Amino acid sequence: MQTKKLNNWLEQIAPEYPLMIAGPCSAETEEQIMATAREMVDKRVQVFRAGVWKPRTRPGNFEGIGEPALPWLKRVKEETGMKIAIEIANATHAELALQYDIDILWIGARTSVNPFAVQEIADAIRGSGKVILIKNPINPDLSLWIGAVERFHKVGMTDIGVIHRGFSSFRPGQYRNEPNWQIALDFKNRYPNIPMILDPSHICGRRDCIYDMAQTGLDLQYQGFMIETHINPDEAWSDAKQQVTPKRLLEIIDQLCLRKKQFVDPKLLDQLDFYRGQINQLDDELLELLAERMKVAQEIGRIKRDKSVAVLQTDRWQEIMQKAVQKGQNLGLSEKFINSLFKAIHQESIDKQEQIIKGM
């Protein structure tokens, strides 16, 4: 993708960094929408969001007001001057959003995982001149995320951004959705001209960690945030636990610390170069050790081949992991990091041994 001009919309909407998109998870009543919006009239909040159609895991839950809520958003725009944004999940939603002149459209995580749905929406809004934001798919698949962006780029959409809202995990953890920062950072490194927005609400799943998550995003040079905000969060019809009041939203914005992107002090630069040199040396040593480890794994593979023994030895693998986690924690490394690292090492060892057994 040629992405040089895909970020012009951000400079126009939020010339003062960062962009803030805020509003309730769901549009419930006109009174709720207007009361929330009026308390957010502030130059620090440029875009008002609200869920009009809500994709839910199981039927019977509140799935949004639908089209009747769209005039409420138009009223927000007229009375407050904020841009308005909604999620769309199919071509009908897209057509209605265009009919009511919604400024920003976003594709949710449950939709971005489906190339057919994404293409249908892209065809419906081509030539509209709207801003389109694409949330990461629910599963941790960078190619699928990029593919969704490409579909809008290929129909001529020129105002594009992405939203990092975390990824589903089969294991319960600290967050509702795991950040998996490396996937988002890989996207940023590959397409630095496409603005990336952080959605702390959906990553956290609870309001108490939204500030910390937003500060992390700012430190990682995300260009904006989407934070769910409700006039009375505890009474919200959906996702009550992760919404904050407008007052708390403005407090969070004020508390965020915008750090310098680069070192400017020559003394600090010299100190930084010294430590970076140490890291480079340690990285070289790590790679050499890993290469030596793989040579040993290949020798084990030759023994397994000659004695017709299976590559995977589950008991031995569990023994390695238990020792690695214990040793790593004693050295100040997290269990999550050790698990990820040794699983990658184990997979490479299996691949090497498979090559030996297959005579490759």
Side-chain angles (χ1 to χ4, degrees), residues 324-339:
V325 168
Q326 183 175 359
K327 178 72 171 179
Q329 289 180 326
N330 290 339
L331 293 171
L333 302 173
S334 71
E335 181 178 353
K336 181 178 179 181
F337 170 70
I338 294 298
N339 275 317

Side-chain angles (χ1 to χ4, degrees), residues 193-261:
N193 293 317
I194 296 180
M196 180 168 284
I197 312 303
L198 184 68
D199 180 347
S201 303
H202 278 89
I203 292 177
C204 290
R206 61 185 200 277
R207 63 180 68 100
D208 65 282
C209 73
I210 287 177
Y211 163 72
D212 288 334
M213 186 61 62
Q215 183 61 59
T216 299
L218 207 56
D219 293 341
L220 294 174
Q221 298 186 27
Y222 282 64
Q223 289 145 296
F225 304 98
M226 178 179 278
I227 297 179
E228 292 189 346
T229 311
H230 193 289
I231 193 68
N232 189 0
D234 292 334
E235 300 299 322
W237 296 2
S238 58
D239 286 345
K241 294 180 179 179
Q242 69 190 39
Q243 300 190 66
V244 297
T245 63
K247 178 182 178 182
R248 177 57 186 149
L249 173 71
L250 297 178
E251 289 174 350
I252 289 172
I253 295 173
D254 286 340
Q255 291 169 359
L256 290 173
C257 177
L258 182 58
R259 310 187 202 280
K260 298 175 183 176
K261 292 185 179 181

Side-chain angles (χ1 to χ4, degrees), residues 336-350:
K336 181 178 179 181
F337 170 70
I338 294 298
N339 275 317
S340 298
L341 175 63
F342 272 78
K343 283 179 181 178
I345 291 173
H346 187 235
Q347 184 60 58
E348 181 70 6
S349 297
I350 288 175

Side-chain angles (χ1 to χ4, degrees), residues 34-79:
M34 295 309 303
T36 304
R38 285 170 183 147
E39 289 203 17
M40 294 197 310
V41 178
D42 186 285
K43 67 177 183 179
R44 294 165 291 177
V45 182
Q46 303 93 348
V47 182
F48 184 86
R49 59 141 288 160
V52 173
W53 297 280
K54 301 296 299 179
R56 306 307 294 269
T57 301
R58 300 178 66 182
N61 294 322
F62 174 61
E63 296 183 336
I65 296 294
E67 184 181 357
L70 294 175
W72 308 343
L73 293 176
K74 284 195 70 175
R75 184 180 168 193
V76 168
K77 183 177 180 180
E78 291 166 357
E79 291 194 16

